[in-house]
Amino acid sequence: MAIVTVGDVARKNAQTLQGAGRDVGGTIFRIAVAGTLYVSLLIIGVLIFDVLFDGWDQLSTRLGGFLSGTLRSRSIDDKLGVHQGLYGSFWIAAFVAIIAFPTGIAAAIYLEEYANQNRTTRFIELAIRNLSGVPSVVYGLLGLFLFVEKNTILGFIGLGWLVDLTGGPTPISAGLTLAILVLPIVIITSQEAIRAVPSGLKEGAYGVGATKSEMIRTQVLPYAAPGILTGTLLSMSRAIGEAAPLILIGAISGGLTANPSFVDVTALQDRFTALPILIVTWVSQRGRDEGFATAAAAAIVVLLVVVLLLNMTAILLRNRFEKKRG
Amino acid sequence: MTVTHMPHSDAELGSLSGSPRRLRREAIIKQVLFGAAIFSVVVSFLIVYALLSEAWIFMRDIDWSTTWGQIGWFPRRGIYDVPTLLVATFWVTIVAMVVATPLGLGAAVYLAEYARPGVRKILKPILEILAGIPSVVLGFFALLWIAPNVVANLGGEGGRGSILAAGIGVGILTIPLIASISEDAMKAVPDALREASAGMGARKVTTVLRVVLPAAISGLAAAMIVAVSRAMGETMVVFMAGGAADAAIFTSSPYDGSLTMTAAMASLASGTDNVVGEGLTFQSLFFVGLLLFLITLALNMLANFFVRRIREQY
C-alpha cells in the first residue's frame, strides 16, 4: 500500500477546488480584449506605413528640396515643398509658447495656491472645463470674430485695434487663436502637477520665513516643473497639428508666393499657410494632378515626425518622474 | 501657578508680517495670477458673444423656409437645409462610435485588468502617443486608404470620400480617448471589490464583467459621451473624406458623400480664401457654430456629471 502524504491530500483538495474543466469563456474574453488593443495598434501601424509608402517618392529623392520648397501649381515642380507651411507652424508654436504657457501656468498657480473655495473659483473652474471640450472649429470662429473681422462688443468695446495689430488672416491671428485653444490643456495639466507637490515642502518654505510667492518660486515650481513641461509639450503638439481653426481664420490653400525665412518677422502680418493646411490643399488637388497625393503624404510624414516627437518626449518625461517619485 | 501670556504689541506683530514693500509685491503677484485665471472666463464669454451676435443676424434675417425640407445645403445659393447637416453629423457619430466603442473599451479592459505591468508599461504610452496624431492625417488615411480598402468592401465606392469613410476615420481618432477615460474609471474601482469577488469563487472574467464594469459604469458613460462630443466636433476628417465639397444634397445613406456641421463650416471658409457669398453665408457659419457649440456643451456637462459621480463613490 502506498503511503499517502500530506502533500497528496492537499493536491487532491486543490484539484476539487478548481472549477470544472478549463475556463474557456474566460480565455476567449481575455484574448478578445487583448485583440482589440492590438487591432487598434495595428490600424495605426497601417496608417504610418501607408503615409510612408505614399510619400516615399518625395522623401527619398529630394528631402532637402521638399523641406525648403513652396506651394506650386504642378506636383513635378522641382521647387515644390513645405517651407511656407513650416514657417506658419513655427510661428504658431512660438505664439503658443509665449502666450499660452505663461498665462496657463499662472492661472494654474492661482487656482491651486491662492484661490479660496468660493463661487468665483468654481465659476472659473467650470469655464476652463467647458472650454477644454469646445470643438476646435468653434475656436476658429472666435479667431475670425476677434482677429480677422473688425467687430464691436456690446456696442462699445471696439476691437478694430486687434485687427490692426494682427493684420487680419495672418500667422499672428493663427498663433493667438491656437494659444487660446490650448490654454485649458495647459491650465489643467499644470494644476495636476502643482497639486502633486507635497505639503511638507511648502510648510518648510513658510517655516523659514518665505512669502507665498517665494514659496511657489522656490518649492512648488521646481517640483512641478516636469509635470508642467509634459502638459506644455502636449499642448504644443496639439497646436501644431490643428487645422480647422486655421481654415476658419483664412489660411491660404493655394497661390501663396512669398517664402519668408524663419526669422523674417515682417511676414507675420502677411497671408500665411501652415503644415496641416498644406496637407489638406494637396489632398484636394490630387484629382487634377495625382502627384499631389505623394506630396501630401510626404508633408504628413514631416508633420508626424514633429508632433510624435513632442508627444513621445512628454510621455517619457512624465513616466520617468512618476517612477522616480513612486 | 498662573500662566503669564506674552504681551505682544501691535509693533511686534507688524514686524513679524514682513516689510510693507514685500507685502505690496505679494498683493501685486496675486492680482496678476488672478488676471490669468479670469482670462478663461473672458474667453468663454467672447465665444458665446461672437456666436450669438452673428447667429442672431442669421436667425433674424433668414427666410426660415430655406432651412428645412430643402434639397440640401447650398449656402452660396441661399439654401441652408439644416437637416442635411444634422443627418450627416448623426451618421458620422454613429459610425465612429460603432468603430471606437468596442476597440477603445476592449483595450481599456485589457490594460486595466489583464495586462502584466511590463506589457502595460509599453503599450499604454504607445496608445497615448497615438492620441496625438493630428486629424488631417486621419483625413488623408480615411480618403486614400479606408475608402478603397474598407468602404469598397462594405458595398460602398472606394474611389471617393463618403460619410462611412469619414465616420471610420473619426472612430479611429476617438479610440485612444475612450480607452484612456475608461481605463481611468476601471483603475478607480477599489481592489477590495475584485478581491471579494475572487474570494466568492468568481472567475476573472466574471469579476470583470459583473463587478468591475458595473462599478465603473459612471466613468464608462462619461467616456462614451465625451467621445460622442468629440466625434461631432471633429472637422478635418469629415471635411477631407466626407465626399462633399462646397454643397451637399440631402441624403440619409452613409454610403453617400455629405457635409456635417463642422465640414460645412470648413468648406464655407475655404471655398474661396475669404468667407464671402450670397447674403447670409458669413452669418450662417456662426449659426452652425452655435448649434454645434450648444450640443457639445450639453454633452460635456453631462459627462462631467458622470465623472463627479465616480469621484463621490470612491
Side-chain angles (χ1 to χ4, degrees):
Chain A
M1 194 184 126
I3 299 163
V4 179
T5 63
V6 180
D8 288 339
V9 175
R11 219 165 295 140
K12 192 153 188 274
N13 282 344
Q15 264 166 22
T16 53
L17 277 174
Q18 271 171 8
R22 220 177 278 144
D23 181 11
V24 179
T27 311
I28 292 174
F29 183 73
R30 184 170 57 81
I31 292 173
V33 291
T36 57
L37 179 61
Y38 288 110
V39 166
S40 309
L41 297 182
L42 178 73
I43 293 172
I44 306 302
V46 170
L47 186 155
I48 289 174
F49 176 79
D50 182 52
V51 292
L52 273 177
F53 184 80
D54 286 356
W56 194 245
D57 271 355
Q58 289 281 353
L59 295 169
S60 60
T61 55
R62 48 181 297 271
L63 182 61
F66 188 69
L67 290 177
S68 61
T70 61
L71 279 164
R72 291 278 143 176
S73 56
R74 291 186 318 144
S75 66
I76 45 166
D77 196 312
D78 223 28
K79 294 197 180 92
L80 179 79
V82 292
H83 192 266
Q84 295 159 316
L86 290 174
Y87 178 86
S89 293
F90 171 79
W91 280 103
I92 286 168
F95 271 95
V96 166
I98 294 168
I99 294 167
F101 292 178
T103 314
I105 296 168
I109 293 172
Y110 178 81
L111 289 170
E112 289 303 313
E113 299 294 335
Y114 286 89
N116 301 314
Q117 263 312 314
N118 57 25
R119 203 179 285 173
T120 316
T121 309
R122 274 198 299 276
F123 189 64
I124 295 174
E125 299 255 10
L126 181 73
I128 293 168
R129 240 195 344 264
N130 285 331
L131 280 182
S132 71
V134 171
S136 60
V137 66
V138 173
Y139 281 97
L141 287 179
L142 177 69
L144 180 62
F145 183 85
L146 287 183
F147 307 130
V148 181
E149 304 283 326
K150 294 201 176 193
N151 277 301
T152 308
I153 291 184
L154 299 176
F156 65 95
I157 309 172
L159 292 175
W161 60 274
L162 258 179
V163 181
D164 293 335
L165 186 80
T166 61
T170 64
I172 301 179
S173 298
L176 292 175
T177 305
L178 289 181
I180 294 175
L181 184 144
V182 300
L183 189 62
I185 311 176
V186 179
I187 297 177
I188 291 170
T189 49
S190 302
Q191 271 184 289
E192 278 164 13
I194 292 170
R195 212 174 295 148
V197 177
S199 54
L201 284 182
K202 300 183 196 171
E203 285 151 14
Y206 283 137
V208 295
T211 62
K212 191 156 210 163
S213 71
E214 286 161 355
M215 180 279 286
I216 290 167
R217 207 171 55 236
T218 58
Q219 304 301 322
V220 173
L221 287 182
Y223 190 93
I228 293 175
L229 188 60
T230 301
T232 53
L233 288 175
L234 287 177
S235 64
M236 174 84 81
S237 122
R238 167 89 192 268
I240 291 173
E242 206 50 83
L246 305 186
I247 290 186
L248 266 288
I249 63 174
I252 280 191
S253 51
L256 187 66
T257 47
N259 184 22
S261 72
F262 282 116
V263 289
D264 183 0
V265 289
T266 56
L268 287 177
Q269 282 212 327
D270 292 336
R271 301 298 305 263
F272 78 108
T273 191
L275 210 39
I277 301 294
L278 290 182
I279 295 165
V280 182
T281 308
W282 286 336
V283 166
S284 71
Q285 286 176 347
R286 88 191 190 292
R288 173 168 68 74
D289 181 344
E290 194 56 43
F292 276 120
T294 309
I300 285 178
V301 174
V302 176
L303 178 67
L304 277 182
V305 167
V306 176
V307 166
L308 293 188
L309 271 182
L310 280 171
N311 276 15
M312 221 181 296
T313 317
I315 287 160
L316 292 179
L317 191 80
R318 189 198 59 200
N319 289 357
R320 216 186 122 106
F321 275 88
E322 262 178 10
K323 199 165 64 192
K324 236 186 194 168
R325 286 168 183 166
Chain B
M1 187 182 133
T2 55
V3 180
T4 50
H5 289 278
M6 244 219 333
H8 36 232
S9 65
D10 285 351
E12 276 169 334
L13 262 186
S15 63
L16 274 175
S17 67
S19 72
R21 224 190 50 173
R22 215 166 159 217
L23 288 177
R24 208 160 46 237
R25 206 188 59 192
E26 287 297 306
I28 291 170
I29 289 174
K30 184 177 174 180
Q31 286 309 314
V32 169
L33 295 176
F34 176 75
I38 208 77
F39 184 64
S40 291
V41 177
V42 176
V43 169
S44 305
F45 166 79
L46 285 173
I47 289 179
V48 173
Y49 185 85
L51 292 175
L52 278 180
S53 66
E54 297 289 342
W56 164 245
I57 298 174
F58 181 83
M59 291 189 275
R60 189 190 60 199
D61 295 350
I62 191 72
D63 172 5
W64 283 92
S65 67
T66 62
T67 64
W68 208 267
Q70 296 288 322
I71 179 172
W73 178 262
F74 293 93
R76 283 171 220 284
R77 280 163 43 193
I79 300 172
Y80 304 94
D81 186 49
V82 177
T84 303
L85 306 185
L86 291 179
V87 170
T89 306
F90 171 80
W91 268 118
V92 165
T93 310
I94 293 288
V95 173
M97 292 307 285
V98 167
V99 171
T101 306
L103 291 176
L105 205 55
V109 169
Y110 179 72
L111 284 174
E113 303 295 325
Y114 285 99
R116 272 173 286 126
V119 178
R120 188 171 178 276
K121 223 166 57 192
I122 298 169
L123 293 185
K124 194 164 186 235
I126 295 181
L127 203 63
E128 282 175 323
I129 289 167
L130 303 179
I133 291 188
S135 53
V136 281
V137 179
L138 259 305
F140 175 92
F141 186 63
L143 183 62
L144 295 177
W145 197 88
I146 293 175
N149 294 304
V150 180
V151 175
N153 291 323
L154 294 173
E157 268 186 62
R160 57 167 177 78
S162 61
I163 288 298
L164 188 57
I168 295 172
V170 175
I172 294 172
L173 209 59
T174 41
I175 292 172
L177 187 72
I178 295 187
S180 103
I181 304 180
S182 308
E183 201 223 349
D184 285 348
M186 280 182 259
K187 284 270 167 201
V189 174
D191 271 337
L193 289 183
R194 292 185 186 86
E195 286 154 11
S197 171
M200 298 287 286
R203 292 177 300 162
K204 175 92 181 174
V205 54
T206 316
T207 305
V208 172
L209 290 178
R210 300 273 186 82
V211 177
V212 179
L213 288 184
I217 194 73
S218 294
L220 303 182
M224 298 301 129
I225 297 166
V226 170
V228 167
S229 156
R230 173 79 192 273
M232 295 182 96
E234 172 47 48
T235 307
M236 294 319 295
V237 179
V238 211
F239 177 55
M240 293 166 77
D246 294 340
I249 297 171
F250 178 86
T251 175
S252 53
S253 159
Y255 288 109
D256 292 333
S258 190
L259 288 172
T260 61
M261 289 190 275
T262 52
M265 292 159 74
S267 73
L268 253 182
S270 73
T272 57
D273 277 340
N274 282 313
V275 185
V276 287
E278 185 71 28
L280 290 167
T281 40
F282 180 78
Q283 284 77 17
S284 75
L285 202 59
F286 286 81
F287 175 69
V288 177
L290 180 66
L291 270 184
L292 179 69
F293 175 78
L294 291 177
I295 296 173
T296 51
L297 182 69
L299 287 170
N300 291 337
M301 286 175 120
L302 194 64
N304 278 334
F305 165 77
F306 279 112
V307 167
R308 257 204 312 281
R309 259 202 8 198
I310 14 179
R311 259 192 226 132
E312 277 163 16
Q313 272 169 353
Y314 305 115

